[in-house]
Amino acid sequence: MAQVRPFHLAAFMRPVGIHTAWWRYPGGFPDANFNFAHLARFARTLEAAKFDAFFMADHLAVLNMPIEALKRSATVTSFDPLTLLPALAVVTQRIGLIATASTTYEQPFHIARRFASLDHLSGGRAGWNVVTTSNPDAARNFGLEHHPEHADRYDRAHEFVSVVKGLWDSFADDAFLRDVETGIFFDPACLHTLDHQGPHFSVRGPLNVARPVQGWPVIVQAGASEAGRQLAAETAEVIFGAAGSLEDGLRFARDVRGRMERIGRDPAGLKILPACFAVVGDTDEEAREKRARLDGLVHEASAIAALSIALGHDAARFDPDGPLPEIPESNQSKTGRERAIALARREGLTVRQLAQRLGGYAGLAMVGTPRRIADEMQAWAEAGACDGFTIMVSDVPEGLEDFTGKVVPELQRRGLFRTEYAGTTLREHLGLPRPENSFFGRRDGLAGDSGPTGA
Amino acid sequence: MAQVRPFHLAAFMRPVGIHTAWWRYPGGFPDANFNFAHLARFARTLEAAKFDAFFMADHLAVLNMPIEALKRSATVTSFDPLTLLPALAVVTQRIGLIATASTTYEQPFHIARRFASLDHLSGGRAGWNVVTTSNPDAARNFGLEHHPEHADRYDRAHEFVSVVKGLWDSFADDAFLRDVETGIFFDPACLHTLDHQGPHFSVRGPLNVARPVQGWPVIVQAGASEAGRQLAAETAEVIFGAAGSLEDGLRFARDVRGRMERIGRDPAGLKILPACFAVVGDTDEEAREKRARLDGLVHEASAIAALSIALGHDAARFDPDGPLPEIPESNQSKTGRERAIALARREGLTVRQLAQRLGGYAGLAMVGTPRRIADEMQAWAEAGACDGFTIMVSDVPEGLEDFTGKVVPELQRRGLFRTEYAGTTLREHLGLPRPENSFFGRRDGLAGDSGPTGA
């Protein structure tokens, strides 16, 4: 086997399971994504398993789906990530805390301030998942008739991230003297006023928060589209890709690392952690049965709608218990159509089973024993397709505890995953350097102006 | 003595002391306003004293003062309130948590969502201090060349608050069924889409958070200006006024209650808690000395600048150790000028002492033994000028512990303040009703869709 560096694990936690039927799984907590006691327990379980980060997705509108599907969705009520994560910071000590926030519907000053505050409160554990927001309904919650175009959103995102970093650097790391004798609270020579004027934003600054413990909270992105990949190559430190297979993942990693090299960025400064839905069983058969049971809880109306979208054809006309008929080509969603057909043929699924699979979770999945899952993960890492994974558990608490209690120990036995945190910050967990201050440079030996974390 | 209803206490906690020299006071923690461990301790101390609320002020820019004064200000780094309060929610059980948020530089959807999230996380303890932002420098952190005019800001504030309340009412209290058998997560008949179209905001909704535990988090306002009083009369449930004397306070209370009656609002739905700077001593002399010591820590440059502003004259020309000379009238700040002159004459202050008083904290202060302070507070309440106070302690931890450990017991002995919380929510502490849902009316016997608070 090739030499593989120890890798990283984040847990993608909203909804607590990505599968649309997670909340119906037997033995679970149907309100788990909106119940702080449960969320605190999950964060502590992930921390005990030495996960790099608890990663919270987000939406700025209820999902745009027909009411018949929406009424079955656990996503309609969930916490604002930047409200939940400060609370989770208090009940954990080491695990990173990554919140999603939109560059399309937020203001850089607010975002810089909130992540800086979270980073100080948590002792350097904050990460920002930079999104441009894909749900077009968000626009109508923020005074816009139409969601801005993709290119405009990414243009704005570039400038937004740069403004936020500039604001984080408002104070040198050693600005705060708090000299009781002289009455000088900070050294004015250590204060930088950004005075940014750009096409999307005019932001004077300075930020009224000390420089974050990590310098900058860790920048995370999905990096899916062309513009997204370019933004990620330029600014991301973690990517949770959506590659559907090892081959896809490898192509994606090469593409993004190539983009980084072309702009002179060291690829070591980026960790690729593909999103992976994990279903664990003591035997492969048990894991497959668990997945089938979970898929079987997806309501047929939602499932058929998902299949119809994937195929570009009304799947309600097909016999649900028969095999997928031949589907003529259509203009729409060629990739989705081909993937759905291939999946049905490969696993011998009926129309209903295929629909429920797509309506449950259709992305990269690893289903099997801890050993099988560890083998697959190791193969990805050995191939150079990733630096770890962003795990989406099948259900809570069982699926979460199976992953942390069975897969993680297997990864640890192989030397692929830490058995103890070596550092205290998310950057240290990920092996990412602390950025220099753009205006004041490096000041070694200074830990930043951080209040103690403990309560 | 007249019959006085038990009254309410909030603690105004940013900076942790309002006095500009609090951080230099001997025996204190100079970093207390930016150190979570200290802030958690203060919140728990206030909770042990049964305070209604921990109240966090805010600024959206560093204060607009000359760098010579700014470098002496502890306000330049502090936590975003909506990041700090979720963390404090975890380390407390009962005390209310009031965060300041601006209607001028925020979006209603974000604000509705964050306060709803905080209310659920804290088990119904959230309050929103609605401000229009007075620091004109904030504009330049949010893409505006000029701070919007006062009237425009208040116009926007009215609409903003109404949109936020509409969003909080997106779901009926009993909307969430989470029926694992049928797969129905919520009853679509219990979902209201706001579809607001107004002069300042277009917001479709619904909010993607369940209705807050309190129905609506408690609405707090300063209510100082004419427009502010009207907004408060129409929407506030708590006012922390800035009256400088009992007579002022009484006039203010009558004015606001009159406005409420004219629009048909029951004055019982509003609690007036004037801001009060408290300096406690075991003797009156000790308290006065403490205040003089604190004032003496205000740097002369900052102090003279504050005095010059108050007088409308350059006070640097006066002999600092002499009495205040006769000051000719000027166009500016008539009230401030008259107040400063009266204060100097009444207390026999030198120019320096007067300047340091104004540069420290110039508003309503109660200085003396616990008994004297309790007497003054009782007099306000008996006169009908207030329902309690928003306390600003002189320093931390000493000033905070003197208030909670000495003044509160005196108020409790007089039957003016609770010795135990009777309810669990901030509304219950304040004796405010839980608002009906504007779209679904009252549904009694339902506690709202709240996750447990504990960790």
Side-chain angles (χ1 to χ4, degrees), chain A residues 107-114 160 163-164 167 203 205-208, chain B residues 59-62 141-142:
Chain A
Q107 286 288 325
F109 193 88
H110 287 316
I111 289 301
R113 193 159 175 245
R114 293 194 172 113
F160 194 116
V163 172
V164 167
L167 289 171
V203 180
L207 192 68
N208 51 357
Chain B
H59 297 283
L60 293 178
V62 298
N141 290 331
F142 295 94

Side-chain angles (χ1 to χ4, degrees), chain B residues 50-131:
Chain B
K50 316 304 175 193
F51 263 61
D52 293 72
F54 180 108
F55 182 141
M56 197 171 166
D58 196 32
H59 297 283
L60 293 178
V62 298
L63 297 182
N64 48 336
M65 50 173 78
I67 191 72
E68 278 305 299
L70 185 66
K71 74 182 185 185
R72 299 171 187 284
S73 170
T75 61
V76 290
T77 182
S78 86
F79 293 113
D80 165 62
L82 283 170
T83 309
L84 177 63
L85 295 191
L88 290 180
V90 177
V91 299
T92 56
Q93 303 295 320
R94 294 292 189 95
I95 193 167
L97 300 163
I98 299 172
T100 297
S102 169
T103 53
T104 303
Y105 297 110
E106 282 279 10
Q107 287 288 328
F109 193 87
H110 287 315
I111 290 299
R113 194 159 174 244
R114 293 194 172 113
F115 279 96
S117 293
L118 177 61
D119 203 55
H120 281 286
L121 271 173
S122 64
R125 296 188 282 141
W128 171 25
N129 177 33
V130 179
V131 299

Side-chain angles (χ1 to χ4, degrees), chain A residues 24 58-59 71 77 80 105-106 110 113-114 117 137 140-141 143 180-181 185 202 204-205 208 210 452, chain B residues 24 35 58-59 71 77 80 105-106 110 113-114 117 137 140-141 143 180-181 185 202 204-205 208 210:
Chain A
R24 297 181 68 189
D58 196 33
H59 297 283
K71 75 182 185 186
T77 182
D80 165 62
Y105 298 110
E106 282 279 7
H110 287 316
R113 193 159 175 245
R114 293 194 172 113
S117 293
D137 283 358
R140 296 164 80 180
N141 290 331
V180 167
E181 288 310 309
F185 197 79
S202 299
R204 185 166 71 166
N208 51 357
Chain B
R24 298 181 69 189
N35 179 313
D58 196 32
H59 297 283
K71 74 182 185 185
T77 182
D80 165 62
Y105 297 110
E106 282 279 10
H110 287 315
R113 194 159 174 244
R114 293 194 172 113
S117 293
D137 283 359
R140 296 164 78 180
N141 290 331
V180 167
E181 288 309 310
F185 197 79
S202 298
R204 185 167 71 165
N208 51 356

Side-chain angles (χ1 to χ4, degrees), chain B residues 243-446:
Chain B
S245 66
L246 203 169
E247 294 66 37
D248 279 359
L250 200 52
R251 253 194 310 275
F252 177 80
R254 285 184 182 139
D255 175 81
V256 172
R257 290 188 183 124
R259 289 171 195 262
M260 292 177 78
E261 279 163 12
R262 284 195 291 282
I263 59 168
R265 225 188 125 197
D266 180 0
L270 173 71
K271 306 298 170 182
I272 299 179
L273 310 180
C276 171
F277 179 63
V279 188
V280 185
D282 287 331
T283 64
D284 289 338
E285 184 56 25
E286 188 186 297
R288 282 193 297 267
E289 279 170 10
K290 176 166 187 172
R291 187 183 203 187
R293 189 173 182 184
L294 198 52
D295 285 347
L297 293 170
V298 176
H299 190 264
E300 203 166 303
S302 316
I304 294 294
L307 178 57
S308 300
I309 290 165
L311 297 176
H313 282 270
D314 182 4
R317 298 182 190 173
F318 306 152
D319 171 13
D321 297 308
L324 189 68
E326 288 302 314
I327 311 282
E329 276 211 41
S330 82
N331 277 334
Q332 290 184 303
S333 58
K334 192 155 181 289
T335 321
R337 182 180 155 280
E338 283 167 9
R339 274 200 196 143
I341 294 169
L343 171 62
R345 305 281 178 260
R346 187 170 68 245
E347 299 196 20
L349 303 176
T350 64
V351 166
R352 179 186 284 109
Q353 287 168 334
L354 176 64
Q356 286 181 320
R357 173 70 61 80
L358 298 182
Y361 180 73
L364 176 67
M366 296 188 187
V367 182
T369 60
R371 192 171 162 177
R372 174 181 293 274
I373 292 174
D375 283 347
E376 280 196 61
M377 291 188 162
Q378 185 167 347
W380 276 67
E382 283 176 358
C386 72
D387 304 285
F389 289 90
T390 300
I391 304 300
M392 300 175 295
V393 299
S394 52
D395 61 302
V396 285
E398 187 186 272
L400 177 66
E401 288 167 7
D402 282 349
F403 194 92
T404 55
K406 297 174 180 177
V407 181
V408 167
E410 178 63 28
L411 295 170
Q412 288 168 331
R413 267 191 294 277
R414 300 180 187 201
L416 288 169
F417 193 60
R418 70 174 69 83
T419 55
E420 195 42 81
Y421 292 106
T424 59
T425 70
L426 176 56
R427 281 190 179 279
E428 287 166 349
H429 302 340
L430 290 166
L432 293 167
R434 184 176 191 272
E436 287 185 37
N437 189 309
S438 336
F439 312 115
F440 300 102
R442 184 175 301 281
R443 307 219 182 189
D444 281 323
L446 292 160

Side-chain angles (χ1 to χ4, degrees), chain B residues 190-209:
Chain B
C190 293
L191 174 68
H192 179 83
T193 301
L194 187 63
D195 261 330
H196 172 88
Q197 302 279 347
H200 295 274
F201 302 103
S202 298
V203 180
R204 185 167 71 165
L207 193 67
N208 51 356
V209 182

